[in-house]
Amino acid sequence: LASAPPLSLAEKYFQLRPDELNPLWGNPCDDIRHRKIWSKSKWCETLPKVLVIGPQKTGSTALYTFLAMHPALVPNLPSPTTYEELQFFNNNNYLKGLDWYLNFFPPSQNNGTQITFEKSATYFDGDLVPRRAHALLPNAKIIAILISPSKRYLNFFPPSQNNGTQITFEKSATYFDGDLVPRRAHALLPNAKIIAILISPSKRAYSWYQHIRSHGDPVANNYTFHTIITANDSAAKPLRDLRNRCLNPGKYSHYLERWLVEYSAHQIHVMDGSLLRSEPATAMHGLQKFLKIQHVDYDKLLKYDPKKGFFCQAVSNEKTKCLGKSKGRIYPPMEERSAKFLRRYYTPHNTALSKLLVRLGRPVPQWLKDELTNG
Ligand code: A3P
């Protein structure tokens, strides 16, 4: 029997099993052997039960904000780098592991029988902390958590505030068209409910262009919207890449079909993003039915703000709290030639989406009917 140093053994292993090069995290609590070695301070139940998958620029932040107002729903904690979006399943955050992900979910609401606790990670190595803590809390129980420094995904979902009736959710608009996302999401969250929010793909593309321009994207700042969307395959690579990133997520049926490979249709809700914008209470009513949660009347929670031009949270009779400046930007209307080009470009994709929705027994949104009549 021959052996080899660990690194060579690992190389040999992955030569034999190249399919295992990309990890696929499952829920450790689903397997008794994993459960046994799972840290006592981690709680699989806090994993999100609802994922809002985008795509980008369809009103996903408004939807996230409205969902977070519902008493039955608990959003993730914000990420220091990507704010409300964790972007776990679609990028390198996935390689940080489950531990990193779980730490984003908030700790438990106290119902009187629970024990209060506090966590400050800087206590562990704080010079004066042990003495000061003991002076005030001599009977406290102290928990130090030591993990492998590489396992950090679960850290964003701390043992939860969840009182058992609440549902955790997460929104990352880049999930919708992320190559590996449906498979990874299903491996970890097979029972999750998935929400996609769709608006006219042409409007989405234009909004996305304005978004990356305002983030200082050099290619977007050098080319007009029309040049980008009409770039052909002989154009310079940066231009082609930008065109693809701008136009591809709008091929809605293609990406939805990929989600349908992993999740069954009854787990997927396709929200009309235009309706969410113009009649949010109606859109949220449908969503609450899908999520089977207590009905909350969003007519009472939201108010149209004429200055913003959008529905915002009603804080008091006069006051509203709206989304920030980057949501509902002001920019010139799309040129007619671009609108015409995109109508034609998206016609086959919109036709496929309409057929898909009919096949699933879902309503065809007004914006889609309009695009197909004018296409
Ligand atoms: P624009 O800024 O181009 O108008 P996302 O949150 O997915 O990035 O989507 C941003 C878009 O949400 C905005 O695009 C805006 O049109 C839309 N939206 C829908 N409802 C909104 C609301 N209540 N407040 C602000 N923006 C809203």
Side-chain angles (χ1 to χ4, degrees):
L1 188 68
S3 190
L7 210 59
S8 327
L9 266 185
E11 274 167 8
K12 186 80 204 151
Y13 181 85
F14 286 117
Q15 271 165 17
L16 294 171
R17 306 296 304 263
D19 52 312
E20 289 185 14
L21 266 174
N22 264 324
L24 195 62
W25 312 127
N27 187 336
C29 294
D30 286 347
D31 184 322
I32 186 132
R33 292 163 307 170
H34 294 158
R35 216 187 171 107
K36 274 188 182 153
I37 55 167
W38 186 233
S39 162
K40 296 256 183 309
S41 65
K42 300 294 173 192
W43 195 9
C44 309
E45 284 72 21
T46 62
L47 280 168
K49 298 195 173 57
V50 176
L51 287 182
V52 180
I53 58 171
Q56 285 180 292
K57 309 315 296 172
T58 53
S60 62
T61 313
L63 176 57
Y64 177 85
T65 311
F66 299 165
L67 284 172
M69 292 163 70
H70 196 289
L73 299 171
V74 185
N76 55 281
L77 296 174
S79 145
T81 48
T82 48
Y83 312 102
E84 86 273 9
E85 300 213 353
L86 301 184
Q87 300 184 356
F88 175 62
F89 294 102
N90 62 309
N91 69 22
N92 286 339
N93 287 336
Y94 192 70
L95 304 181
K96 293 178 182 165
L98 210 52
D99 203 43
W100 182 88
Y101 190 46
L102 260 193
N103 264 8
F104 282 105
F105 288 87
S108 187
Q109 259 172 3
N110 198 318
N111 63 14
T113 59
Q114 289 168 307
I115 298 167
T116 49
F117 67 93
E118 190 218 338
K119 184 213 78 154
S120 293
T122 47
Y123 288 169
F124 183 75
D125 55 330
D127 278 347
L128 301 169
V129 178
R131 213 158 152 234
R132 286 182 177 168
H134 188 262
L136 187 64
L137 312 164
N139 300 318
K141 296 196 172 168
I142 309 298
I143 305 168
I145 313 169
L146 310 179
I147 58 163
S148 141
S150 59
K151 273 176 136 191
R152 298 179 67 215
Y153 175 56
L154 284 189
N155 288 345
F156 286 98
F157 298 86
S160 165
Q161 217 175 47
N162 204 315
N163 60 16
T165 58
Q166 287 175 308
I167 298 171
T168 43
F169 72 96
E170 193 224 323
K171 184 257 331 179
S172 294
T174 45
Y175 284 169
F176 182 74
D177 54 314
D179 275 347
L180 302 168
V181 179
R183 195 151 168 249
R184 287 175 169 180
H186 188 264
L188 185 64
L189 311 167
N191 302 316
K193 296 196 170 172
I194 307 297
I195 304 166
I197 168 166
L198 308 181
I199 59 169
S200 145
S202 314
K203 283 189 185 158
R204 195 213 74 82
Y206 192 50
S207 168
W208 185 84
Y209 169 76
Q210 300 297 344
H211 171 74
I212 53 156
R213 250 176 95 90
S214 70
H215 280 257
D217 184 284
V219 188
N221 276 314
N222 268 338
Y223 295 97
T224 64
F225 181 61
H226 196 73
T227 309
I228 292 168
I229 58 172
T230 55
N232 60 33
D233 287 339
S234 57
K237 188 169 181 310
L239 193 56
R240 276 184 286 129
D241 287 347
L242 200 76
R243 175 202 63 189
N244 294 344
R245 286 172 60 210
C246 183
L247 297 181
N248 284 352
K251 298 171 182 173
Y252 297 143
S253 60
H254 169 77
Y255 295 108
L256 281 173
E257 294 283 10
R258 246 177 23 187
W259 282 92
L260 283 163
V261 170
E262 302 292 341
Y263 286 94
S264 60
H266 76 268
Q267 288 174 276
I268 300 178
H269 183 76
V270 180
M271 170 164 269
D272 177 349
S274 295
L275 190 69
L276 185 76
R277 178 176 171 162
S278 59
E279 292 175 46
T282 312
M284 293 306 289
H285 177 72
L287 186 54
Q288 292 176 87
K289 269 170 76 178
F290 166 73
L291 293 174
K292 298 196 173 86
I293 51 176
Q294 160 207 350
H295 178 76
V296 162
D297 185 0
Y298 276 84
D299 266 331
K300 298 204 171 81
L301 299 180
L302 304 173
K303 198 171 164 202
Y304 184 77
D305 184 314
K307 214 166 134 211
K308 176 82 178 168
F310 286 93
F311 279 86
C312 302
Q313 279 187 63
V315 180
S316 67
N317 268 352
E318 298 92 51
K319 272 195 166 172
T320 54
K321 185 167 174 248
C322 299
L323 299 184
K325 282 201 183 78
S326 64
K327 304 296 168 185
R329 285 196 175 90
I330 295 167
Y331 42 79
M334 199 191 310
E335 285 181 273
E336 187 42 42
R337 59 181 182 148
S338 301
K340 204 170 153 199
F341 173 86
L342 288 177
R343 262 198 306 274
R344 213 170 303 143
Y345 179 88
Y346 280 121
T347 295
H349 305 287
N350 283 336
T351 307
L353 175 66
S354 169
K355 283 188 181 149
L356 173 63
L357 293 173
V358 170
R359 189 180 96 212
L360 299 179
R362 307 294 168 83
V364 176
Q366 191 55 46
W367 65 258
L368 184 53
K369 289 181 188 160
D370 293 346
E371 298 244 327
L372 289 172
T373 342
N374 300 329

